[in-house]
């Protein structure tokens, strides 16, 4: 129904960073975009919105192949759309899975707007792209204060919302930052005060718990994640050197399902 593709494909010449350094192979895990044939996400944007469309040219990108138009390029909005868009026509594989439960809407929105998005999801970027020591110090302080709060919260419940028994969009949003934290952000964005692997046992357990859920771990490719970050910004990493560390082993059982006696979807 909805394919997931990339612009590069196995066998393509090794990629380089924007200023020509590095050599990054296109491995067999890449899924070529056979519909558009685009060599870059910019070409997809121009196909859907016209040549000369201003950037940034970002992923995720939801593209309508019938009308050759861009539907949406904001990941949070795409997630909400896909949560229920196919429930009534028999196409949803898990129609009973609701990542946006109405009874938790206010609580989740508040937690997201006050902590998860500004101080964690966006917080790591604020640390990485600041232009002054003062701004960096402020961003790092907010980030790690927030991680301490989340570490405490996830020490008493399995997931973020309500009584912690239900996995929601906010858990997924937090997971996507935490799974990148040690292998990327600690080095690249200088968020090196602490690590998830060694300093936050509850956050580490949470990441392992979510990673082992059906359909999630298979979407996480640490090699692709690291290659993207460490080669995308020459001002941060001119020569495109990719550090060796991949972060903690996410295949280790977290035990959180037994600890909190809830059932994974």
């Amino acid at each position: 129904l909805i394919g997931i593709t990339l612009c590069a494909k196995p066998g393509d010449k090794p990629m380089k960073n924007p200023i020509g350094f590095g050599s990054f192979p296109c491995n067999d895990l890449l899924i070529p975009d056979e519909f558009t044939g685009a060599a870059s996400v910019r070409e997809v944007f121009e196909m859907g919105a016209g040549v000369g469309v201003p950037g940034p040219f970002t992923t995720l990108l939801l593209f309508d192949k019938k009308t050759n138009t861009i539907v949406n390029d904001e990941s949070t909005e795409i997630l909400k759309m896909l949560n229920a868009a196919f429930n009534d026509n028999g196409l949803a594989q898990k129609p009973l899975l609701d990542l946006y439960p109405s009874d938790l809407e206010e609580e989740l929105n508040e937690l997201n707007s006050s902590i998860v998005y500004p101080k964690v999801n966006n917080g790591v970027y604020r640390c990485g792209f600041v232009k002054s020591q003062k701004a960096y110090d402020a961003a790092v302080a907010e980030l790690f204060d927030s991680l301490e709060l989340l570490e405490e919260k996830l020490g008493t419940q399995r997931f973020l919302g309500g009584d912690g028994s239900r996995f929601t969009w906010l858990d997924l949003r937090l997971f996507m930052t935490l799974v990148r934290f040690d292998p990327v952000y600690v080095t690249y964005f200088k968020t090196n005060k602490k690590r998830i692997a060694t300093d936050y046992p509850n956050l580490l357990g949470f990441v392992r718990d979510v990673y082992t859920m059906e359909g999630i771990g298979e979407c996480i490719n640490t090699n692709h994640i690291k290659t993207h970050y460490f080669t995308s910004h020459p001002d941060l990493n001119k020569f495109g050197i990719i550090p060796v560390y991949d972060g903690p082993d996410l295949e280790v059982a977290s035990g959180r399902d037994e600890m909190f006696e809830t059932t994974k979807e």
Side-chain angles (χ1 to χ4, degrees):
L1 183 62
I2 298 178
I4 302 175
T5 61
L6 304 171
C7 292
K9 61 182 182 296
D12 279 356
K13 291 182 179 180
M15 297 179 290
K16 297 181 181 297
N17 75 0
I19 58 175
F21 290 107
S23 180
F24 319 110
C26 298
N27 63 28
D28 292 341
L29 296 178
L30 295 176
I31 305 171
D33 178 6
E34 296 179 348
F35 178 78
T36 68
S40 69
V41 72
R42 176 173 184 156
E43 290 185 19
V44 180
F45 269 88
E46 291 180 339
M47 179 179 297
V51 175
V53 60
F57 307 105
T58 59
T59 59
L60 296 169
L61 176 65
L62 188 61
F63 187 86
D64 189 332
K65 295 191 291 186
K66 288 186 176 181
T67 61
N68 281 352
T69 56
I70 294 171
V71 178
N72 201 298
D73 66 341
E74 168 49 53
S75 59
T76 304
E77 294 176 7
I78 292 173
L79 178 62
K80 192 168 186 178
M81 291 166 59
L82 298 183
N83 182 62
F86 303 103
N87 286 355
D88 297 330
N89 56 18
L91 295 175
Q93 294 183 1
K94 294 183 177 293
L96 299 181
L97 175 61
D98 182 11
L99 297 178
Y100 289 82
S102 57
D103 59 312
L104 297 181
E105 180 177 6
E106 183 175 349
E107 177 190 351
L108 294 176
N109 284 338
E110 169 59 26
L111 184 56
N112 177 61
S113 62
S114 63
I115 295 179
V116 176
Y117 175 71
K119 299 178 181 179
V120 181
N121 297 147
N122 194 49
V124 292
Y125 287 89
R126 291 171 55 216
C127 294
F129 291 105
V130 292
K131 301 298 183 181
S132 74
Q133 186 68 47
K134 182 178 180 180
Y136 168 78
D137 291 342
V140 165
E142 282 196 346
L143 169 62
F144 283 95
D145 285 349
S146 298
L147 290 179
E148 295 292 344
L149 291 174
L150 294 169
E151 168 73 8
E152 182 178 357
K153 185 177 184 66
L154 290 171
T156 60
Q157 58 189 71
R158 187 179 181 189
F159 302 119
L160 291 172
D163 63 359
S165 63
R166 286 177 285 176
F167 178 73
T168 70
W169 63 273
L170 192 57
D171 297 296
L172 186 59
R173 186 163 197 167
L174 177 62
F175 167 80
M176 289 301 180
T177 295
L178 296 185
V179 78
R180 290 161 170 77
F181 197 89
D182 285 10
V184 175
Y185 303 141
V186 165
T187 301
Y188 203 47
F189 290 165
K190 310 176 191 69
T191 61
N192 58 353
K193 182 178 180 180
K194 292 184 178 181
R195 292 189 178 193
I196 302 300
T198 56
D199 301 298
Y200 296 106
N202 296 320
L203 293 182
L204 176 60
F206 170 81
V207 174
R208 285 172 166 162
D209 189 14
V210 176
Y211 180 84
T212 58
M213 289 182 171
E214 181 183 355
I216 294 182
E218 64 195 66
C219 295
I220 302 300
N221 186 306
T222 302
N223 177 43
H224 289 183
I225 289 171
K226 289 169 57 180
T227 299
H228 162 70
Y229 276 97
F230 287 105
T231 67
S232 294
H233 315 98
D235 55 329
L236 296 183
N237 190 23
K238 178 179 179 179
F239 296 105
I241 305 300
I242 302 175
V244 67
Y245 182 54
D246 286 340
D249 183 358
L250 300 181
E251 300 285 351
V252 175
S254 71
R256 289 176 66 82
D257 51 348
E258 298 178 357
M259 185 185 306
F260 298 107
E261 298 182 352
T262 59
T263 303
K264 293 182 182 180
E265 291 290 347

